[in-house]
Structure formats: structure tokens, C-alpha cells
């Protein structure tokens, strides 16, 4: 029987006694998670921290943290945005939280809105939207709906491990194919190959594009930084499989982390181009809200010899801060180091033919599916 864990509720604001407790989770209990701790989000008044109460709790192993999936009862499925520095105005996220556990994931702070921790809760408390396909069908059928490409994988990965069983993303693709609705996908998972049949048919109508996020070719670093995502080799194999099926496929070297993986940019782009990628993009590391502390905690534990330099370079690219949310700057950063990375990306993509402008997805084929009743109506009563 797993031992109980003694916790104490403390004010989330910094107090003198805070250092007596810890939000860190025992390594054995984490079991391949990305972050090290599970502090409450910014909206909670109190934080639960573990502490030694003198009863020898350390003698027993902590219970392993298992992934739990809950039902998200959202009444809408298409999310709108008007951000001036991203290329889409609507997206679908079949899941909230992501079991891939990427330490740097900019979506982590959204878990705080749900009353969960952006730390380990984000990667172990997953909210799934089983009604996504039905909701999408209804929203596409609204008379006011105007077609533009829908983006998937913009917040959490639509092909994270639980998708293999739940098939929510698959259901969304089936709806989009019936309506001839264009979509783009970004993923770190080889599971997207399961849906090559749909994506291939849509691609032939210029309705689908897929990008694989490849952050490193170093399998050891990937294991530490993205513990439950596909290996770098699997992601390159997936690029090759999608390309062979006629699906336009790209590579996202994102995020680029100065002093940690940015030296690999050219090698990643070359490997992806060789596998069949025809487009490329990159984003610099973003550390908004709780991610800043979570990432620095991981950095100090995983690569202590580089931690100081990495954070110094990040601040150099963010005007002396860990993060700058200014539109137009948040994706790329500023300063000499940011300019150097941008120049390297431009030169590499030009050399590899990854900078060629591609035709936009076709929005003119969008149509309401003719169901049986509609077909019969053509012949009158």
C-alpha cells in the first residue's frame, strides 16, 4: 500500500516558512515526466507542499503518478484568435494538457485555469473532448461560418499517447474531409502516420499540410526534454512517410533554446529536407508565467553545467527578462544572438530549398455534405 504524503497548505505568496516545504515530486513517483515539481497555478491562494513531519515517511517509496484522463465538456470546439504574429485565426485542440511532458511547453500555464498545476498535472491530468467531431459538424454547418484553414497542434499535441485509444483527432479529420475543409497539423508524434489515408486524400485536393516538430537530433537530450514524445529518428521517419504519401510536410525547429539546442538548427533542417520536408519554421524558446520557474528548475537538474549560460542568453534575447510577450518579438526575440539565429535559419533554408513559397490551402472546395435526406429532396416529395 503506498505511503501517505504529508502536505501543508501555505500562502502562494513568498513567506519565511516556504523553504521548509517543497513542491518537488519524488523522482521514482515522476516516472518519466518532464518537469520536477507540481506547484499550484497562479490563481490558487494556497500551495500544497510536501514536508518531513518526523514520522519517517522517506522510508517508503512514493506512489507512482499515473496519467488520468477526464472528460472536457466544452460546448464549442473551434477556438478563435486575432494574434497578429501567427498565421491562423482558428484552431482545434482535442485535448487539454499533454502527456508528452515537454519541459518548455508554452501551453502549460493554461492548466492553471482548470485548477491544476502547470507542472506535472499538465502532463498527467489530461482533459479529452470526446464530443469534438459532433461539435465541429455543428459549427461548420452554421450559416455564418466562413471557411479558413483550421490549425491543430497549436497548443497541445493532437497525437499524444491517449489519442491512440480515444481517436478524437481521427474523428475530427473525418469531419473535415467530408466538408472539404482545409487543415494544418503540428505534432511530435509518429501516430499521425495512422491517419495517412485521410491526410493523403485531403492533400490531393490541396486541403492538408503537416509539420513535425524536431527540437534535437540528440536522443539523450530529447528523452530528458520531451520524455514521452517520439524519438528524433521516429519523427524523421514520419516526415518520410507523409512525404511518400503525397502530404506536404514541413519541419518546425521549435523551440530553439540558446546554448542548448540552437547549434543543431542546420543539422535538423538538413535531416528533415533529406527525409522529404519541403517547408520549415522556427520559434525561439518562450517562458511565460509558470514556465519560467519550471524550466529553470529542470535546466539546473538536467544540464547544470549549461544552465547559467542558457538563461543568460535567453535574457539577452528578451531585453534582460526571461520573457517578453510583445507581439512580433515573442516568437523570435531581439538582439545580436536572436539576429544571428534568424540569419542562420534564412541561409540554411535557402540552401536546402525550404524557403520556397508554397501555395495556400484551398478554401473554395468547402461544402456541406449531401446527406441522404438532402439528396432525396432533389426529387421532391
Amino acid at each position: 500500500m503506498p505511503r501517505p504524503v504529508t502536505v501543508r497548505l501555505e500562502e502562494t505568496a513568498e513567506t519565511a516558512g516556504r523553504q521548509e516545504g517543497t513542491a518537488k515530486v519524488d523522482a521514482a513517483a515522476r516516472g518519466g515526466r518532464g518537469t520536477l515539481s507540481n506547484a499550484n497555478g497562479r490563481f490558487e491562494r494556497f500551495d500544497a507542499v510536501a514536508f518531513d513531519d518526523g514520522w519517517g515517511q522517506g522510508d517508503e517509496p512514493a506512489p507512482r503518478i499515473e496519467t488520468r484522463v477526464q472528460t472536457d465538456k466544452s460546448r464549442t470546439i473551434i477556438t478563435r484568435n486575432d494574434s497578429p504574429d501567427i498565421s491562423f485565426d482558428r484552431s482545434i485542440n482535442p485535448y487539454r494538457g499533454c502527456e508528452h511532458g515537454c519541459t518548455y511547453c508554452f501551453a502549460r500555464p493554461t492548466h492553471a485555469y482548470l485548477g491544476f498545476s502547470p507542472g506535472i498535472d499538465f502532463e498527467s491530468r489530461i482533459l479529452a473532448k470526446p464530443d469534438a467531431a459532433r461539435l465541429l459538424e455543428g459549427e461548420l454547418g452554421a450559416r455564418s461560418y466562413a471557411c479558413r484553414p483550421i490549425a491543430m497542434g497549436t497548443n497541445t499535441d493532437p497525437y499524444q499517447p491517449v489519442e491512440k485509444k480515444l481517436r478524437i483527432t481521427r474523428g475530427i479529420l473525418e469531419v473535415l474531409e467530408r466538408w472539404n475543409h482545409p487543415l494544418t497539423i503540428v505534432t511530435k508524434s509518429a501516430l499521425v502516420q495512422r491517419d495517412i489515408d485521410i491526410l493523403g486524400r485531403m492533400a490531393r485536393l490541396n486541403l492538408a499540410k503537416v509539420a513535425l516538430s524536431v527540437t534535437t537530433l540528440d536522443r539523450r537530450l530529447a528523452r530528458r526534454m520531451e520524455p514521452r514524445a517520439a524519438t528524433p529518428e521516429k519523427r524523421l521517419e514520419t516526415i518520410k512517410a507523409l512525404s511518400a504519401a503525397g502530404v506536404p510536410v514541413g519541419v518546425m525547429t521549435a523551440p530553439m533554446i540558446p546554448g542548448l539546442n540552437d547549434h543543431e538548427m542546420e543539422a535538423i533542417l538538413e535531416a528533415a529536407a533529406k527525409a522529404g520536408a519541403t517547408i520549415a519554421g522556427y520559434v525561439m524558446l518562450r517562458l511565460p508565467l509558470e514556465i519560467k520557474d519550471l524550466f529553470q528548475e529542470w535546466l539546473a537538474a538536467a544540464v547544470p553545467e549549461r544552465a547559467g549560460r542558457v538563461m543568460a542568453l535567453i535574457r539577452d534575447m528578451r531585453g534582460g527578462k526571461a520573457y517578453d510577450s510583445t507581439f512580433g518579438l515573442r516568437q523570435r526575440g531581439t538582439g545580436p544572438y536572436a539576429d544571428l539565429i534568424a540569419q542562420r535559419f534564412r541561409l540554411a533554408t535557402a540552401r536546402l530549398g525550404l524557403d520556397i513559397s508554397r501555395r495556400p490551402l484551398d478554401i473554395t472546395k468547402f461544402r456541406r455534405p449531401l446527406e441522404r435526406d438532402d439528396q432525396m429532396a432533389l426529387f421532391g416529395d
Side-chain angles (χ1 to χ4, degrees):
M1 181 176 179
R3 68 173 175 84
V5 177
T6 302
V7 299
R8 176 171 58 213
L9 294 179
E10 298 182 346
E11 294 279 359
T12 52
E14 189 173 357
T15 63
R18 177 64 183 269
Q19 284 69 35
E20 296 176 17
T22 177
K24 284 190 176 181
V25 177
D26 183 89
R30 290 199 306 269
R33 302 294 178 179
T35 50
L36 279 63
S37 58
N38 208 38
N40 283 348
R42 60 195 177 282
F43 301 113
E44 308 304 312
R45 181 181 175 188
F46 293 100
D47 202 357
V49 296
F51 73 101
D52 185 358
D53 63 356
W55 287 89
Q57 293 181 131
D59 296 337
E60 298 291 333
R64 185 183 178 91
I65 296 172
E66 302 293 341
T67 299
R68 287 183 284 172
V69 181
Q70 300 172 236
T71 299
D72 184 308
K73 297 182 179 179
S74 297
R75 296 182 180 180
T76 60
I77 194 63
I78 299 177
T79 300
R80 311 280 179 158
N81 80 83
D82 58 1
S83 300
D85 57 353
I86 56 179
S87 60
F88 56 88
D89 69 352
R90 66 201 66 184
S91 60
I92 292 177
N93 292 290
Y95 304 98
R96 298 191 193 195
C98 184
E99 197 176 357
H100 283 164
C102 303
T103 58
Y104 51 73
C105 182
F106 66 82
R108 286 183 177 276
T110 63
H111 239 44
Y113 290 110
L114 307 174
F116 297 138
S117 170
I120 290 176
D121 276 354
F122 177 79
E123 45 197 289
S124 63
R125 301 285 293 274
I126 310 300
L127 275 73
K129 303 178 183 179
D131 291 333
R134 179 182 62 80
L135 292 171
L136 178 58
E137 199 95 48
E139 291 177 41
L140 296 183
R143 291 185 179 278
S144 60
Y145 184 79
C147 178
R148 288 182 59 84
I150 286 176
M152 297 182 69
T154 59
N155 200 44
T156 58
D157 202 309
Y159 286 103
Q160 58 182 285
V162 69
E163 166 61 19
K164 187 172 184 179
K165 176 181 179 181
L166 297 185
R167 300 171 69 88
I168 297 173
T169 297
R170 173 81 182 189
I172 292 170
L173 296 189
E174 289 170 347
V175 172
L176 293 175
E177 184 183 22
R178 283 200 302 273
W179 287 76
N180 279 356
H181 195 297
L183 84 150
T184 63
I185 296 173
V186 178
T187 181
K188 290 184 174 73
S189 176
L191 182 58
V192 67
Q193 293 186 58
R194 178 200 65 190
D195 295 337
I196 276 181
D197 57 336
I198 297 177
L199 293 170
R201 291 192 298 267
M202 294 184 72
R204 286 191 285 275
L205 297 174
N206 191 27
L207 295 174
K209 293 180 182 179
V210 178
L212 270 290
S213 174
V214 183
T215 49
T216 178
L217 299 178
D218 182 340
R219 189 166 184 168
R220 186 166 175 265
L221 176 59
R223 175 66 176 167
R224 289 181 172 184
M225 193 165 61
E226 308 156 336
R228 299 195 179 193
T231 64
E233 295 86 355
K234 283 289 186 184
R235 295 183 219 182
L236 293 173
E237 288 174 12
T238 301
I239 291 175
K240 186 174 183 179
L242 288 164
S243 177
V247 180
V249 60
V251 58
M252 287 295 297
T253 54
M256 285 287 97
I257 305 172
L260 186 63
N261 71 341
D262 64 303
H263 66 283
E264 294 188 71
M265 176 183 277
E266 289 83 356
I268 294 170
L269 292 171
E270 288 175 8
K274 184 177 180 181
T278 57
I279 48 180
Y282 84 98
V283 177
M284 293 306 304
L285 176 70
R286 298 165 54 189
L287 296 176
L289 302 170
E290 292 94 343
I291 306 175
K292 174 174 67 70
D293 292 336
L294 288 167
F295 181 76
Q296 288 187 90
E297 183 180 64
W298 171 84
L299 198 63
V303 284
E305 71 284 359
R306 300 193 206 176
R309 174 168 169 75
V310 170
M311 289 309 303
L313 288 171
I314 289 172
R315 291 190 174 91
D316 183 62
M317 298 172 62
R318 301 294 186 186
K321 301 179 290 185
Y323 182 58
D324 180 358
S325 62
T326 305
F327 287 133
L329 302 180
R330 58 180 183 160
Q331 308 275 24
R332 298 288 188 261
T334 60
Y337 203 87
D339 292 343
L340 176 61
I341 290 178
Q343 182 180 25
R344 287 171 51 200
F345 179 81
R346 285 194 299 270
L347 291 173
T349 53
R351 174 171 55 85
L352 296 166
L354 296 173
D355 64 337
I356 300 172
S357 181
R358 308 294 172 182
R359 62 174 176 162
L361 294 175
D362 191 348
I363 62 174
T364 66
K365 293 185 175 69
F366 175 73
R367 58 167 174 75
R368 180 186 300 275
L370 284 175
E371 297 182 351
R372 183 177 183 275
D373 289 344
D374 294 318
Q375 292 173 335
M376 293 302 292
L378 294 175
F379 298 96
D381 293 332

